[in-house]
Amino acid sequence: MTETLPQRTPDKETLARMFELVTAINLTDERFRTLLSSGRARSTYYSPKGQECISAAFGALLRPDDYCVTMYRGLHDHLAKGVPMRELFAEFLGRVTGTCKGKGGPMHVTHPASGLMVTTGIVGSGLPIANGLAWAAKLSGTDQVTIVNFGDGASNIGAFHEALNLASVWELPVVFVCQNNRYGEHTRYEWATSASQVAQRAAAYEMPGVTVDGNDPVATYWAADEAISRARSGGGPTLVEAMTYRFWGHIFGDNMRYMPPEERKAAMDADPTVRYRNWLLEHGHLSEAELASIENDTLAAIDDAIAFALDSPPPGPDELYTDVYSETVVPA
Amino acid sequence: MTETLPQRTPDKETLARMFELVTAINLTDERFRTLLSSGRARSTYYSPKGQECISAAFGALLRPDDYCVTMYRGLHDHLAKGVPMRELFAEFLGRVTGTCKGKGGPMHVTHPASGLMVTTGIVGSGLPIANGLAWAAKLSGTDQVTIVNFGDGASNIGAFHEALNLASVWELPVVFVCQNNRYGEHTRYEWATSASQVAQRAAAYEMPGVTVDGNDPVATYWAADEAISRARSGGGPTLVEAMTYRFWGHIFGDNMRYMPPEERKAAMDADPTVRYRNWLLEHGHLSEAELASIENDTLAAIDDAIAFALDSPPPGPDELYTDVYSETVVPA
Amino acid sequence: MTDEVKVAKMTTAQAIHDALDLALAKDPKVLLFGEDVSDPSGGGVFHISEGLSTKYGEHRVRSTPISEQAIVGAAIGAAIGGYRPIAEIMFMDFFAVAMDQISNHAAKLRYMSGGQTGVPITIRTAAGAGMQFGAQHSEMLEAWVTHIPGLKVVVASNPADCKGLLTAAIFDDDPVVVIEPTLDYWVSGPVPEGEHVVPIGKASTARPGSDVTLITYGREVKFALEAAETLAGEGISVEVLDLRTLVPMDERAVLESVARTRRAVVVHQAVRRGGLGAEISALIHENLFGELEGPVVRVAGPNTPIPYAAELESLFVVDSADMVKGVRKAVQQTR
Amino acid sequence: MTDEVKVAKMTTAQAIHDALDLALAKDPKVLLFGEDVSDPSGGGVFHISEGLSTKYGEHRVRSTPISEQAIVGAAIGAAIGGYRPIAEIMFMDFFAVAMDQISNHAAKLRYMSGGQTGVPITIRTAAGAGMQFGAQHSEMLEAWVTHIPGLKVVVASNPADCKGLLTAAIFDDDPVVVIEPTLDYWVSGPVPEGEHVVPIGKASTARPGSDVTLITYGREVKFALEAAETLAGEGISVEVLDLRTLVPMDERAVLESVARTRRAVVVHQAVRRGGLGAEISALIHENLFGELEGPVVRVAGPNTPIPYAAELESLFVVDSADMVKGVRKAVQQTR
Ligand SMILES: Cc1ncc(C[n+]2csc(CCOP(=O)(O)OP(=O)(O)O)c2C)c(N)n1
Ligand SMILES: Cc1ncc(C[n+]2csc(CCOP(=O)(O)OP(=O)(O)O)c2C)c(N)n1
Ligand SMILES: [Mg+2]
Ligand SMILES: [Mg+2]
């Protein structure tokens, strides 16, 4: 898709699948922000808008039994890994029908049936856990791959380092996916990070590291494909850095004053969903009718899921005390 | 000193100073091990024997007002930074005349008067603190340099990563000295560390990194000189990896079965103190009389300090309760 | 407060800003750093330090990478090097990634060095549930830090004390953990202008009373006052003691009050098991056993992680109704 | 124990080895990892796992880098992936570098996932003073972990219980912290051969008595028994209750015993302020206030870091003389 670089084009099915995922993320985000500003629902919300192509590319490649670990800014990863919208949105809204009965919330979505194993709110802490999942798969002799998503800011925390080293010495089937959106909360990448690119840190672990345009689903697809294939075939871990941008700042309600307006405008003008749609159309991969059909179906599914979530009750008071231990209920 | 590499020779005074320090470390270690095996004293003891040239090289270059942070295996660093032997040995033996009144012990020697600011028992934890000392010096506009010593195993812990990144983005006057003795406790370097050399991790922080033969005091001297000068002149941090070997395993009493006997024998046959002595003699830098005089003086000082320590009383019971807070005594 | 002191209405966030501003102005050795604290990165995630890096320079008010060990470690080193650093750890749950620097180093270096290297740092942190931030951004972990000898710990219940305790912490020669109830940042109240110090180690009687002493701290003081008001209507006179400092605790104030009322209720948001309430309960029983009408009642969080759903979260959080129940229980007990 | 069970004399270290060996043999899902644990690296720093990697393979018994966050994280992930990992953290003081994985993840993932992802891991760790290892290698930090909902915590007082509790921990479906008193590794006693399980949550009466209940756990049980013997000579009959499990605590056993003796002394090595003794004290007062002859007496470490000098360290450590004093004090109290 990056016009200057000649590259292979995935098959139509894959292109369509990625468009479905990009669309699902893009439209869900739109709906969510409207829902929250209208006051019809309350949620802690870290918009992933701008980063949708990364999840879509990985989502098109991963199997349901592959493991995914992600973080508070995780809606795009959840959707791309196949977490069902109804349960997912219900979890965001704290309803008993949610993936975690409303007890985890957006920062802690878990859905083992679709391979979404952990969502953490602690920067960088998913990486060591991803190693464990990968180790389990390796010990069991399956060819399951584990991917773990994290931000550029997370590349400066201790857990990142410990995890990449261990993954390398143990040759684990894991893909470390750094979604570099140029900010950690309100702090610019350069202020916090001594490496020009996060991917260059892979060399410290003698692990392949690659930087890719994360707003280009096709480029990201091939980088993801290489990393996933390497992990699946016993070739060990890879660090993939996908360059991207957050359209809506850190958290819903962010004043975004620390983001230069020109920078943000440039990113939004190059909306990756729009670019991808245009490219698919221009190059004849999908017709306007096909694209519109995907969009309509997606929107219908989202609206259904939001209605489901809004109609669902909160967890009952007893839920406060369950799931603390494997025994059913603990005394208060 | 490494015969295959042509290199500059430091001036005689420096060579003599390094020999003094190497001798002090070597002989202290000998005396200590005898003292402990004879049962005349008890101490937690991590022998630095084999690593003496690294400390000597840095010690010959650092000023008293430069800061040093080190760790449990720190006797060589303590001596080279100028911690007075009497107080130092008394601290090792838990006497009230010790640098820390016997309350810290070998793992926690502190002596601000000689710039020895922190000795920690937690692997890697000295590095973030060294940054703070370096930051203080930078803010104060002095040209003090901070060095922090740690092992190869420490290069795998989170604190290492966080500290090197911060030092780089803040351009701190700090030298990270990795004393790579090929083992972390009983585990071989390769089993634990994904980088062939620790120094190659410097690139992840866009920081200069260098590997040097840490058993060659002259080579280490020049590497240290470059790193210290860089820090002193505002050029920021450096990672120096000095290759070495521990003669006596991890801790006094170690059965050392995990160390291949040939490997250990080879290292001991190339005893760096002996090699340096011979080299000084062969190349006419110091005469036998000069060397022997240094050795005799050192031995006398060590024996005096050991006698002082052995004769010193333990801290009185009230010391249990003091120094918890800045207020004199806390209630028990 | 004397008549000369001017008082302004401020939010807690503003009161903290004020304390930081005055401390930075007063002593060039005071430093402030943490994630996002400088102006190019928005002046702190709660905008508390907005303007300070512009005023005092980015060398003194500095944004850091997301590296809590490096943050606390740098504070310790700079303190040993002669400074008075204030390190910000965004949420108290993140103490978990920096506990080694906090416990093994900040708290112990003075002792281990035989008194040579004190560590005059302040660690500011936001804590507490009620914002639907879930299990990893809502904890009150005062029990961890009050169990570590060498640390002092303070928690304010109102904007004025927030300013005064923070100021005391910054100029204290020991490491002080300042716990700031997150939800209180937007709560306002009267705050003395200019330098204002609330001494470390002194509790305050938030409301005098004679039937029962309700001992608490932080955000729960407000609810305790509400509970006391409700109970006054039932003829129960509640004395509300606001601890303000958790270590060193004002044991005298606690014991003096309970000796008078002969009944005590201890309240905190943190989970009950091993919470600070147990320590206070033990302390009171050890000293006043024969004088009590009944055992000390603890009102605290349930022994569960903090749930996300608003309905469950509000059940988790101790409120004035829970305190009313606790006080009634205490009052029903008679020897 | 029935007559059929053979008993062998073993050190605690051997008993732990035995438990690990049997668990690894029984269930291929059991894994053991940590620093130095495999045979090429000496089979553990205390040689406890010697032989196990040779027997079960280095894929199951594996040495790790010095990376405690990575160790606990890998245990959590592998547990969610279907295994029963045992992670070794060499000394409990090093929990400080891994508290985030322990507290924010191992303990909470079951709850946060609404029950979907349990974390059946065991974290083994050596703890306690007495070896002159100084302030950073000697702490008992049970107060930190017992305050974290979602964790279970056990501490054994003898080799047999060490084996039995560890076995129970490994096969428990929740994260269990197993605290092993370092000095006890070299202490020996009778240990049942073959599989031996001591159920989690059950205290044991180490010595029956009628005048006062001494409640303790871990290494202090031995000294409590010595103290009880001494006190028997003075005509004071001490019941020694060995908690064995700290969470979930056997509150019934505690309350049943104290209800009988009407006097309680709680003992631990950890520092007094905020120690688990406070929780036990509060618990007893809350439940038995009217039946007690006097307040629960706490015998615990002073509120200081742990000093290096042998003379100071032995002052720091609670011993049987301290317990004797505590019991005498409890007995003198009469309503
Ligand atoms: C250990 C820890 N420190 C601080 C925070 C607060 N925090 C939440 S998100 C965030 C920024 C993370 O930036 P990045 O890794 O780049 O991810 P992004 O939010 O940009 O996707 C911070 C500092 C946290 N959650 N955990
Ligand atoms: C955080 C932490 N984990 C584990 C230990 C136990 N430990 C003490 S020394 C050591 C080995 C360190 O190896 P290295 O860094 O190479 O230093 P060396 O001892 O070889 O000089 C370990 C694992 C510790 N002190 N701190
Ligand atoms: Mg980012
Ligand atoms: Mg080493």
Side-chain angles (χ1 to χ4, degrees), chain D residues 234-255:
Chain D
E234 301 178 14
I236 301 173
S237 167
V238 180
E239 176 147 311
V240 178
L241 193 69
D242 177 357
L243 285 178
R244 305 202 291 195
T245 296
L246 307 186
V247 174
M249 194 181 288
D250 191 346
E251 300 185 359
R252 244 173 96 122
V254 171
L255 298 176

Side-chain angles (χ1 to χ4, degrees), chain A residues 99-101 104 108 110 112 117 120 122 125 128-129 132-133 135 139-140 159 162 165-166 170 320 322-323 325-327, chain D residues 31 59 62 65 67 69-70 73-74 77-78 80 83 100-101 105 110-116 150-152 174 247:
Chain A
T99 52
C100 312
K101 300 189 271 183
H108 307 303
T110 305
M117 304 307 284
T120 183
I122 306 295
S125 291
I129 301 178
L133 286 160
W135 189 30
L139 283 166
S140 302
E162 295 192 8
N165 181 59
L166 190 82
W170 288 14
L320 177 58
T322 62
D323 304 320
Y325 295 99
S326 52
E327 294 86 12
Chain D
L31 308 172
H59 58 296
R62 203 169 173 91
S67 313
Q69 296 191 65
I80 295 177
Y83 285 79
D100 169 59
Q101 289 295 336
H105 296 90
R110 178 185 290 277
Y111 193 83
M112 298 193 304
S113 69
Q116 297 176 95
L151 296 182
K152 294 176 176 170
D174 293 311
V247 174

Side-chain angles (χ1 to χ4, degrees), chain A residues 217-276:
Chain A
V218 175
T220 308
Y221 179 86
W222 293 120
D225 185 43
E226 192 177 328
I228 292 171
S229 305
R230 179 176 296 125
R232 203 172 310 283
S233 61
T238 306
L239 172 59
V240 177
E241 177 188 27
M243 301 305 298
T244 184
Y245 200 80
R246 309 168 314 194
F247 282 21
W248 298 100
H250 179 58
I251 190 172
F252 185 78
D254 189 336
N255 70 22
M256 296 189 276
R257 279 206 293 260
Y258 57 89
M259 291 158 81
E262 330 72 71
E263 178 188 271
R264 185 162 168 253
K265 184 171 180 302
M268 293 178 86
D269 286 348
D271 186 321
T273 296
V274 175
R275 266 174 74 207
Y276 184 43

Side-chain angles (χ1 to χ4, degrees), chain C residues 111-173:
Chain C
Y111 193 84
M112 298 193 303
S113 69
Q116 297 176 96
T117 46
V119 183
I121 68 172
T122 300
I123 305 180
R124 289 185 48 226
T125 193
M131 320 241 303
Q132 280 200 268
F133 277 171
Q136 295 177 337
H137 285 67
S138 308
E139 285 186 299
M140 287 286 296
L141 292 170
E142 68 274 17
W144 286 4
V145 287
T146 50
H147 187 57
I148 304 171
L151 297 182
K152 294 176 177 170
V153 184
V154 303
V155 193
S157 69
N158 60 63
D161 282 2
C162 237
K163 177 174 175 180
L165 285 167
L166 177 56
T167 305
I170 295 169
F171 294 104
D172 194 277
D173 285 338

Side-chain angles (χ1 to χ4, degrees), chain C residues 226-269:
Chain C
E226 284 174 31
E229 197 56 37
T230 305
L231 290 155
E234 303 178 11
I236 302 172
S237 166
V238 180
E239 175 147 311
V240 177
L241 194 69
D242 177 358
L243 285 178
R244 305 203 291 195
T245 296
L246 307 186
V247 174
M249 195 181 288
D250 191 345
E251 301 186 358
R252 246 173 94 125
V254 171
L255 299 175
E256 184 280 320
S257 172
V258 180
R260 261 191 297 106
T261 62
R262 302 165 65 90
R263 292 183 181 92
V265 177
V266 186
V267 179
H268 53 66
Q269 184 184 102

Side-chain angles (χ1 to χ4, degrees), chain A residues 83-103 110-111 304-316 319, chain C residues 309, chain D residues 113-114 116:
Chain A
V83 179
M85 282 182 180
R86 286 182 155 209
E87 289 89 324
L88 181 61
F89 298 173
E91 190 60 32
F92 269 65
L93 304 196
R95 309 300 161 110
V96 72
T97 51
T99 52
C100 312
K101 300 189 271 183
K103 295 165 76 164
T110 305
H111 196 259
D304 161 76
I306 290 183
F308 171 85
L310 286 171
D311 286 349
S312 293
E319 282 296 345
Chain D
S113 69
Q116 297 176 95

